[in-house]
Amino acid sequence: MELHDVWFVLIAVLWIGYFFLEGFDFGVGILTKLLARDRPERRVLINTVGPVWDGNEVWLLSAGGATFAAFPEWYATLFSGFYLPLLLILVCLIVRGVAFEYRAKRPEESWQRNWEHAIFWASLLPAFLWGVAFGNIVHGVKIDQDFEYVGTVGDLLNPYALLGGLVTLTLFTFHGAVFTALKTVGDIRERARKLATKVGLVTTLCALVFLLWTQIDSGDGKSLVALVVAVAALVAALVANQAGREGWSFALSGLTIVAAVTMLFLTLFPNVMPSSLDADWSLTVTNASSSPYTLKIMTWCAAIATPVVMVYQGWTYWVFRKRIGTQHIAEAVH
């Protein structure tokens, strides 16, 4: 296997890790409006991801940085062609982080309510837009012979991509509801399980249509296996949720994300951005990659740094592993 193939796999792993972790993170943010009935319950939801949300975003930074260094042509075409949706995602992530930190800094009702609105919308929009972005990457976009995107923003809002956005939105919401049931106690835990069942049924329908569309459009035997695993894991997650096995349900909803994103990258390879104008104008792992020497240096750096980051993040989740409820929420002191 060539180094550019290795780095394609590593970038896929980084995106899988990001969607697995930030997926429930976004889902919890969305649930602050769909599930929480009052401010103490919203504080419970926010506290479930409070210690880990910023660490989850490290996976996005790593994926973006790795793409820039390993596949500069891919990075340039992607970030110029998808400039507006990616900028909107970036703004949402910034606002979301500020909202987490500043929501409780003042006691006024309007102050906290406005930041809670920000958490909801800044979680919902990226959850939808990431699916739109990856739907376009897999389906193909208008790239010319100079490897430049020549389409418009409207071209990105095609039916396949919009369905992809709906899939990530519902899947992340389901993932977040299962995570909430796993991390809370009392009435909010039971309501999270019931909401997870409702959202999970919608997610299953949307995901099945989207993945079948992907398989018919550009799939092969390997992607078919990933499709079966994704759908089976999602159904199993629903069954486990109904049985009150939150740990199994969360692991299986996570497996759904892993298998679904794996399928997308399997259908993409060896392309990194297919051209819908001419297949010969597609960006591939070969014509979009950096020099072999650059990839070699990157491989050594990743081999040293990645285990350290993963161990530290795993330790963080272990420290904050206990369930919480409204009885654990103390009165804010300003």
Side-chain angles (χ1 to χ4, degrees), residues 18 26 60 79 82-96 118 121-130 132 153 157:
Y18 174 67
F26 286 143
L60 173 61
F79 279 78
F82 292 26
Y83 181 81
L84 286 178
L86 291 178
L87 177 62
L88 182 56
I89 289 173
L90 177 61
V91 171
C92 285
L93 294 179
I94 293 172
V95 171
R96 188 167 174 269
W121 288 109
S123 298
L124 185 148
L125 287 175
F128 176 75
L129 289 174
W130 279 127
V132 174
V153 174
L157 303 177

Side-chain angles (χ1 to χ4, degrees), residues 273-300:
M273 277 192 84
S275 172
S276 60
L277 300 178
D278 190 322
D280 292 335
W281 298 343
S282 298
L283 286 167
T284 68
V285 293
T286 304
N287 63 26
S289 69
S290 295
S291 67
Y293 183 73
T294 299
L295 296 177
K296 184 178 180 180
I297 296 298
M298 288 176 59
T299 303
W300 280 107

Side-chain angles (χ1 to χ4, degrees), residues 7 62 84 88 157 179 229 289 311:
W7 273 97
S62 300
L84 286 178
L88 182 56
L157 303 177
F179 178 79
V229 171
S289 69
V311 168

